[in-house]
Amino acid sequence: MEETAKNEHQWGMLLDQLKKEDINAFRTEYLDMHPYDQAQFFQEQGRDERLLIYGYLSPEEVAEIMENIEIEDIEPFFSEMDPRFAAMVFADMSTDDAVDILNELSKDKVASFLTIMENDASDEIKQLLHYEEKTAGSIMTTEFISIFKEQTVKATMAQLKKEGPDAETIYYLYVVDEDKRLVGVLSLRDLIISEEDTLIEEILSEKVVSVSVAEDQEEVAKMMRDYDFLAVPVVDFQDHLLGIITVDDILDVMEEEASDDYSKFAAITDNERPNENALISAKKRLPWLIILLFLGMLTASLIGRFENTLDQVAILAIFIPLIAGMAGNTGTQALAVAVRGLATGEYGKQGKFKLILREAATGLITGTVCGIVITLVIYLWQGDIFLGLLVGISIMATLVVATLAGSLVPLIMDRLNIDPAVASGPFITTINDIISILIYFGMATAFMGFLI
Amino acid sequence: MEETAKNEHQWGMLLDQLKKEDINAFRTEYLDMHPYDQAQFFQEQGRDERLLIYGYLSPEEVAEIMENIEIEDIEPFFSEMDPRFAAMVFADMSTDDAVDILNELSKDKVASFLTIMENDASDEIKQLLHYEEKTAGSIMTTEFISIFKEQTVKATMAQLKKEGPDAETIYYLYVVDEDKRLVGVLSLRDLIISEEDTLIEEILSEKVVSVSVAEDQEEVAKMMRDYDFLAVPVVDFQDHLLGIITVDDILDVMEEEASDDYSKFAAITDNERPNENALISAKKRLPWLIILLFLGMLTASLIGRFENTLDQVAILAIFIPLIAGMAGNTGTQALAVAVRGLATGEYGKQGKFKLILREAATGLITGTVCGIVITLVIYLWQGDIFLGLLVGISIMATLVVATLAGSLVPLIMDRLNIDPAVASGPFITTINDIISILIYFGMATAFMGFLI
């Protein structure tokens, strides 16, 4: 990882060979790099250099590069390739990666690529294109190794040597019956420590854990994390083996889901890409902003009801942002704890009740501490102990209620089968604005006698 | 995954066997489950049942259960075991898991376990305990398979059969020289497709990617995700092979880092556990709340400077939470995009400049839309076009500045080598409170003539 200097030198050399059209030297040097590094170099080049690269490499070699480019950045490359070449590249990619990319392209383009492609490759891809996004079906690959109970270890090793190079993993072999139903699994580990003439049925494990093709990808990720699997088979409702999901794809899923949760928390309707333009960004953020604008109007009209109180004691207005802000902050904290806990499945039924009790107690402690601090500060600053007490007690009450709201809202959403992550920070903040203002002005109106 | 009903039946049976002290039946049934499921059952039992389980299983079998329990929940189990038994369990665990757990225990307890343990096991653990938390050294395991250039494929297969059962992975074999320096790597895939009398040096890959023992675990995770590795070797500064990190540990790291980012975003100083008590939770949240309280006082004193304006036009106070809230919301959105982009390393140097430009444009669009909406709503509600324009234009200006602030603050922090994730939502919200109030009251004071 401290190889940046070396990389720059190497890149310079590659670029040189590319421009001098020294095909052989370029191929030797370039293909010797890890495919991820090949992709990094490729993406930094201009269109002219890229067209040269397509010319120097085989579709299979370009396919390996494409598999290492972020899905969102890949479309322009396929558009600039000769369509026949592009179709060959697709045919040479892992089916799961090819499908991911095709899902990003327009329907017309997909149709034209599939027409050019050879039949067997396009059939597999067509089938995978049917699965819904973010399900096991959409991230699985069909390049797995399946064996029969009746084979020997020796025959299986021979099969591995033949099919191994094209398979996504050779570390698990899936045992199927004549109807392609999944009946067992064998790890390569168990295979190589067995004698050559052993039958597969003597060493396979029948307790194979599989996922349904319609399973949510986040659930698959959680399962692979819990069980430490390197791959998991995907089956339909009759237990037919359809594909496998490997751990490298799960790493990408986890990254994607973490970004998703993060975006929802910040009230953005969809993940944003760094190279997106402002109009698209604005479109993703505006729905929430408009909703929050109207919730804000509600807050404003609430304060409007206390206009009398405000007219008499204008200084009250000074502390509105402070109280509303503290309510928002503490609510956001409680929300994050609850959402995260729900996402990782840490709560049982009693756990939720205990969480609420704990949040109430936490709110009481933080509220008391902050309340005392603010009372003292205001007393020292404004010399008015009643104003200090009013703000201090309001903060205390607000923090208890806001902390509770921050944990209750996601729990209720979860109960109603709404993704609790949409209970975003800004949403909770606005709810808590309203609660805090009711408490503050309610108390101020009640005890106004002491303030004037 | 639809096996809940079956599970409940099985658990009832297991509990029955446990209570009847039917050791053999219990062992057969229980050890037949996946270790993760064994751990799930184990954790649901009371102390009496757990003590029975320790008695029925060997230290090695208990070690497998312990490896599948969340690190934060594990301490009580080791405390209730007989110390000699506990030491044997530690000795039988993967070194990386044992070290993770020992890091959670008190120094006294660790010392006493290490004293009881056999020398070779405790030596390895002692060494690993020295590595700093969240570095490659702290998550690596020392149970890898190393081979020499001069071996044949046949000898290597024999070595695999012998060492395989104890190794963390057999899918990568690491080639070292006589000084234990890492000189190459060989995948099991390449091994099994080679002829028996081939020498390792003919088939090894010398371009082995390794990480330094002091490397941050998040960097290791990013690398393994980019390069699709199942394992990566860990070396010291002289390239001596110290251990390996496997992808199953990386899944845990990613989960942990995602939770971390989430917590920081919500302004909680440390990850919270669901079963923690309120006092600990409050302690983690209070530091930020107190800081934000004082920032809030700053906002209050700012409004205080406009007391004259407020005294004359009390209705201005009504819209304070609305404007401050919108500033906070839009800032949080921009912040999340920037922090996430920085975390996944999506920006180059130009990327950052482009991001700022885009955020400015995004702010202008969202600001204009929200500004027009609010102007109309206030005009229709209060019948006062000047008040509507004042609030509308304030919102527009606020949204531009707040969106920019939301992206600039994390970029600046990143430049100063501060983790941008600490630029939490509440922090940005409070900063934007201040900005928005300055804009709003500044404009109100300037154009007061139109309002009275």
Side-chain angles (χ1 to χ4, degrees):
Chain A
M1 310 197 79
E2 315 98 21
E3 294 178 345
T4 334
K6 195 193 136 210
N7 271 352
E8 262 174 43
H9 171 72
Q10 197 182 17
W11 282 25
M13 210 163 63
L14 281 169
L15 201 56
D16 220 43
Q17 291 160 346
L18 202 58
K19 283 182 177 154
K20 279 198 231 139
E21 309 205 0
D22 186 350
I23 305 190
N24 283 330
F26 175 77
R27 281 181 56 86
T28 316
E29 188 80 21
Y30 188 63
L31 296 175
D32 196 43
M33 300 199 298
H34 188 283
Y36 176 76
D37 296 323
Q38 291 177 24
Q40 294 293 312
F41 175 80
F42 173 82
Q43 283 178 279
E44 286 292 312
Q45 304 312 312
R47 191 184 142 92
D48 290 344
E49 286 76 26
R50 290 199 303 268
L51 291 178
L52 281 176
I53 296 179
Y54 302 138
Y56 294 174
L57 301 181
S58 72
E60 202 180 335
E61 285 154 359
V62 173
E64 269 227 82
I65 300 175
M66 293 299 144
E67 287 175 1
N68 280 281
I69 293 178
E70 292 272 339
I71 194 84
E72 295 85 354
D73 304 327
I74 216 164
E75 192 268 323
F77 305 134
F78 277 99
S79 301
E80 72 192 8
M81 286 181 211
D82 175 271
R84 288 186 166 279
F85 186 81
M88 280 152 78
V89 171
F90 273 121
D92 279 324
M93 290 178 74
S94 297
T95 46
D96 54 344
D97 291 328
V99 168
D100 284 349
I101 296 169
L102 288 169
N103 268 325
E104 298 282 311
L105 303 183
S106 71
K107 288 225 163 117
D108 292 353
K109 268 197 190 148
V110 174
S112 77
F113 284 135
L114 290 177
T115 319
I116 307 174
M117 245 183 260
E118 275 171 50
N119 274 338
D120 51 340
S122 70
D123 284 352
E124 265 180 36
I125 289 177
K126 267 182 212 157
Q127 236 170 346
L128 286 178
L129 277 173
H130 286 300
Y131 296 112
E132 231 179 304
E133 249 195 298
K134 305 204 171 185
T135 62
S138 72
I139 55 170
M140 73 183 184
T141 173
T142 51
E143 281 126 349
F144 53 86
I145 297 182
S146 63
I147 56 176
F148 296 105
K149 269 187 190 179
E150 297 78 13
Q151 322 186 176
T152 60
V153 166
K154 190 175 179 182
T156 309
M157 289 293 271
Q159 184 184 346
L160 271 191
K161 287 192 194 189
K162 216 180 85 208
E163 297 179 10
D166 287 328
E168 184 89 9
T169 181
I170 60 162
Y171 300 135
Y172 290 103
L173 311 173
Y174 296 97
V175 187
V176 294
D177 64 15
E178 57 278 10
D179 293 331
K180 294 199 175 165
R181 281 205 180 82
L182 181 68
V183 295
V185 64
L186 181 66
S187 73
L188 181 56
R189 204 169 178 139
D190 290 332
L191 184 75
I192 65 164
I193 60 171
S194 302
E195 297 304 321
E196 285 203 331
D197 50 0
T198 315
L199 287 178
I200 295 301
E201 64 183 339
E202 298 171 43
I203 49 174
L204 69 79
S205 162
E206 287 180 353
K207 286 179 311 153
V208 48
V209 178
S210 60
V211 297
S212 148
V213 71
E215 186 70 77
D216 186 84
Q217 64 176 7
E218 202 168 0
E219 288 297 314
V220 180
K222 186 176 177 319
M223 198 190 83
M224 288 184 77
R225 205 176 69 237
D226 286 344
Y227 288 88
D228 288 347
F229 289 141
L230 294 180
V232 67
V234 181
V235 296
D236 66 12
F237 296 106
Q238 282 86 41
D239 252 357
H240 294 114
L241 181 58
L242 301 177
I244 61 169
I245 296 170
T246 49
V247 71
D248 54 305
D249 298 318
I250 289 301
L251 289 176
D252 297 334
V253 167
M254 286 184 66
E255 183 61 35
E256 187 187 326
E257 297 281 347
S259 289
D260 259 16
D261 282 358
Y262 214 75
S263 299
K264 282 183 197 150
F265 194 63
I268 303 171
T269 53
D270 198 0
N271 256 323
E272 287 191 21
R273 299 284 311 160
N275 48 3
E276 212 164 72
N277 72 40
L279 208 61
I280 299 176
S281 290
K283 233 167 98 183
K284 287 181 181 169
R285 299 183 196 178
L286 266 173
W288 268 108
L289 286 178
I290 298 283
I291 293 173
L292 294 168
L293 192 66
F294 280 93
L295 280 174
M297 289 300 301
L298 200 68
T299 321
S301 79
L302 264 178
I303 304 182
R305 295 185 171 239
F306 295 101
E307 220 181 323
N308 260 337
T309 313
L310 258 181
D311 266 338
Q312 291 178 52
V313 200
I315 200 173
L316 283 177
I318 292 181
F319 297 101
I320 295 176
L322 173 71
I323 292 174
M326 289 303 284
N329 296 334
T330 187
T332 305
Q333 291 179 330
L335 174 73
V337 172
V339 168
R340 198 66 215 166
L342 288 169
T344 52
E346 277 167 349
Y347 305 126
K349 274 166 220 156
Q350 295 159 322
K352 286 175 192 164
F353 186 66
K354 265 166 71 183
L355 174 77
I356 295 170
L357 276 184
R358 190 198 61 184
E359 289 299 318
T362 305
L364 202 62
I365 299 172
T366 54
T368 309
V369 174
C370 291
I372 291 173
V373 171
I374 200 73
T375 305
L376 289 175
V377 171
I378 293 181
Y379 176 57
L380 294 174
W381 175 31
Q382 299 271 345
D384 185 342
I385 186 70
F386 287 113
L387 185 66
L389 278 173
L390 173 68
V391 176
I393 294 172
S394 295
I395 290 253
M396 198 190 86
T398 294
L399 258 56
V400 176
V401 180
T403 308
L404 264 178
S407 59
L408 273 175
V409 170
L411 287 178
I412 292 170
M413 285 191 159
D414 188 54
R415 190 63 173 269
L416 299 174
N417 278 323
I418 305 170
D419 178 1
V422 303
S424 63
F427 180 65
I428 285 286
T429 301
T430 309
I431 297 275
N432 280 337
D433 270 5
I434 297 175
I435 295 173
S436 62
I437 278 158
L438 281 178
I439 294 177
Y440 179 49
F441 278 100
M443 286 189 46
T445 310
F447 299 103
M448 193 144 59
F450 296 99
L451 290 169
I452 316 182
Chain B
M1 311 196 82
E2 318 97 19
E3 294 179 345
T4 335
K6 194 194 136 207
N7 272 352
E8 262 174 42
H9 171 72
Q10 198 183 18
W11 282 27
M13 210 165 63
L14 280 169
L15 199 57
D16 219 44
Q17 291 159 347
L18 202 58
K19 282 182 177 153
K20 280 198 230 141
E21 309 205 0
D22 187 351
I23 305 190
N24 284 331
F26 175 78
R27 282 182 54 88
T28 317
E29 188 79 20
Y30 187 63
L31 296 175
D32 196 42
M33 300 198 300
H34 188 283
Y36 175 76
D37 296 322
Q38 291 178 23
Q40 294 293 312
F41 174 80
F42 173 83
Q43 283 178 281
E44 287 292 311
Q45 305 311 312
R47 189 183 143 92
D48 290 345
E49 286 77 24
R50 290 199 304 267
L51 291 178
L52 281 175
I53 295 178
Y54 303 138
Y56 294 174
L57 301 180
S58 71
E60 203 181 333
E61 286 153 0
V62 173
E64 270 227 80
I65 301 175
M66 293 300 143
E67 287 175 1
N68 280 280
I69 293 178
E70 293 271 340
I71 193 85
E72 294 85 354
D73 304 327
I74 216 166
E75 191 269 322
F77 305 134
F78 277 100
S79 301
E80 72 192 7
M81 286 181 211
D82 175 271
R84 287 185 168 280
F85 186 81
M88 281 152 77
V89 171
F90 275 121
D92 280 322
M93 291 177 74
S94 296
T95 46
D96 55 344
D97 291 328
V99 168
D100 284 349
I101 295 170
L102 288 169
N103 268 325
E104 298 281 310
L105 303 183
S106 71
K107 288 226 164 115
D108 291 354
K109 267 197 190 149
V110 174
S112 79
F113 283 135
L114 291 176
T115 319
I116 306 176
M117 245 183 260
E118 275 172 49
N119 274 338
D120 51 340
S122 70
D123 284 351
E124 266 181 34
I125 288 177
K126 268 182 212 158
Q127 237 172 342
L128 287 178
L129 277 173
H130 285 301
Y131 296 113
E132 231 178 305
E133 250 194 296
K134 306 202 171 186
T135 60
S138 72
I139 55 171
M140 74 183 182
T141 173
T142 50
E143 281 125 350
F144 54 85
I145 296 183
S146 64
I147 57 176
F148 296 104
K149 270 187 189 178
E150 298 77 14
Q151 302 181 202
T152 61
V153 167
K154 190 174 180 184
T156 308
M157 289 294 270
Q159 183 184 348
L160 271 191
K161 288 193 192 188
K162 217 180 85 207
E163 295 180 10
D166 286 328
E168 185 89 6
T169 182
I170 61 163
Y171 300 134
Y172 291 104
L173 311 174
Y174 297 97
V175 188
V176 294
D177 65 14
E178 58 278 11
D179 293 331
K180 294 197 176 166
R181 281 204 180 82
L182 182 67
V183 294
V185 64
L186 181 67
S187 72
L188 181 56
R189 206 168 177 137
D190 291 331
L191 184 73
I192 65 164
I193 59 171
S194 302
E195 298 303 321
E196 286 204 331
D197 50 359
T198 315
L199 287 179
I200 296 302
E201 63 184 340
E202 298 171 42
I203 49 174
L204 68 78
S205 160
E206 285 180 355
K207 285 179 310 151
V208 48
V209 177
S210 59
V211 296
S212 148
V213 70
E215 186 68 78
D216 186 82
Q217 64 175 9
E218 202 167 1
E219 288 298 315
V220 179
K222 185 173 177 323
M223 198 190 83
M224 289 184 77
R225 204 175 70 237
D226 286 343
Y227 288 89
D228 288 347
F229 289 141
L230 293 180
V232 67
V234 181
V235 296
D236 65 14
F237 296 107
Q238 282 85 42
D239 252 356
H240 294 114
L241 181 57
L242 300 177
I244 60 169
I245 296 170
T246 49
V247 71
D248 55 305
D249 297 318
I250 289 302
L251 290 176
D252 296 334
V253 166
M254 287 183 66
E255 182 61 36
E256 188 187 324
E257 297 280 348
S259 289
D260 259 16
D261 282 358
Y262 213 74
S263 298
K264 282 183 199 149
F265 194 63
I268 302 172
T269 51
D270 197 0
N271 256 323
E272 288 192 20
R273 298 285 308 161
N275 49 1
E276 212 163 72
N277 73 40
L279 208 61
I280 299 176
S281 290
K283 234 168 96 181
K284 287 181 180 167
R285 298 185 196 177
L286 265 174
W288 268 107
L289 286 178
I290 298 282
I291 293 173
L292 295 168
L293 192 65
F294 279 93
L295 281 174
M297 289 300 302
L298 200 68
T299 321
S301 79
L302 263 178
I303 305 182
R305 294 185 172 239
F306 296 100
E307 221 181 323
N308 261 337
T309 313
L310 257 181
D311 265 339
Q312 292 177 53
V313 201
I315 200 172
L316 283 177
I318 292 181
F319 297 102
I320 295 176
L322 173 73
I323 291 173
M326 290 304 285
N329 295 336
T330 188
T332 305
Q333 290 178 330
L335 173 72
V337 172
V339 168
R340 199 65 217 167
L342 287 169
T344 52
E346 277 165 349
Y347 305 127
K349 274 167 222 156
Q350 296 158 321
K352 285 175 192 166
F353 186 66
K354 266 166 72 183
L355 174 78
I356 294 169
L357 276 185
R358 190 198 62 183
E359 289 299 318
T362 306
L364 202 63
I365 299 171
T366 53
T368 309
V369 174
C370 291
I372 292 173
V373 170
I374 201 73
T375 306
L376 289 175
V377 171
I378 292 180
Y379 176 57
L380 294 174
W381 176 32
Q382 299 271 345
D384 185 341
I385 188 70
F386 287 113
L387 185 66
L389 278 173
L390 173 67
V391 177
I393 294 172
S394 296
I395 290 251
M396 199 191 86
T398 294
L399 257 56
V400 176
V401 180
T403 308
L404 264 178
S407 60
L408 272 176
V409 170
L411 287 178
I412 292 169
M413 286 190 159
D414 188 53
R415 191 63 174 270
L416 299 174
N417 277 323
I418 304 172
D419 177 0
V422 303
S424 62
F427 180 66
I428 284 287
T429 302
T430 308
I431 298 274
N432 280 338
D433 271 5
I434 296 175
I435 294 172
S436 61
I437 278 161
L438 279 178
I439 293 176
Y440 179 48
F441 278 100
M443 286 190 44
T445 309
F447 299 103
M448 192 144 60
F450 297 97
L451 289 169
I452 315 183

